[in-house]
Amino acid sequence: MPHSNPETHVIDFRAAEHLLAARDPRGAVKLLDPVIAAHPENTAARLLRARAFFAAAQLRAAELEFTIVLEREPDNAFAHFALARTYQRAARPDQARRHFRLAAALDPQPDYVAAAAFDDAPQGEAP
C-alpha cells in the first residue's frame, strides 16, 4: 500500500472536486475513499463524496454520507437540501419535504425556500 500523508489527501480532495465538476463522480469517489478512510471525521470530504454518490445515482450511499454530515453539523443547510434532493430522487417525498423545509429554515436562500414551498419540489441543479 502506498504511503499516504495529509498533503496527498489535500491533493486528492482537490482533484476529486475537479472530477466531480467534470462529471466523473465515480472517479471522485475513488479519490475520496482513502481520504475518508484516513480522516473519517473530515466533513468536507464526506460532503463531497455524498455529492459524488448523488451524481452517480448511488442514492443509498449518498443518503448515508449526507446523514453522517448532518449528525456532525445539524445546521448545515446545504446538507439538508442535498439530502432532500436524494430522497426526492428515491421517491421518498415525505422525507424530502422535511429536509427541504429544514434547509429553508436554516438558510432562506431562494432555491431552498422554493423547494420547501411545494410538495413536488423542482428538479433544478444537482447538489
Side-chain angles (χ1 to χ4, degrees):
M1 184 168 127
H3 178 70
S4 65
N5 61 53
E7 186 175 299
T8 302
H9 294 149
V10 170
I11 292 167
D12 287 348
F13 179 86
R14 296 293 178 220
E17 287 180 318
H18 290 289
L19 285 175
L20 187 56
R23 299 200 168 127
D24 182 4
R26 285 177 170 69
V29 168
K30 282 183 185 178
L31 284 177
L32 290 167
D33 285 345
V35 174
I36 292 170
H39 305 281
E41 75 292 345
N42 187 318
T43 304
R46 286 194 176 275
L47 195 55
L48 186 60
R49 186 165 70 170
R51 291 176 52 218
F53 281 138
F54 180 90
Q58 296 179 23
L59 301 182
R60 291 293 296 160
E63 176 187 349
L64 176 64
E65 288 294 336
F66 285 130
T67 300
I68 290 169
V69 169
L70 287 169
E71 285 171 359
R72 296 172 183 176
E73 296 181 4
D75 60 347
N76 186 321
F78 175 79
H80 280 290
F81 185 74
L83 181 58
R85 287 263 189 248
T86 304
Y87 285 139
Q88 184 180 47
R89 280 182 72 181
R92 294 161 67 186
D94 291 341
Q95 288 160 301
R97 190 175 309 109
R98 176 176 179 268
H99 286 279
F100 279 134
R101 289 177 178 163
L102 284 166
L106 289 165
D107 182 1
Q109 66 173 280
D111 289 351
Y112 297 177
V113 171
F118 301 104
D119 285 348
D120 297 318
Q123 292 300 310
E125 294 287 314

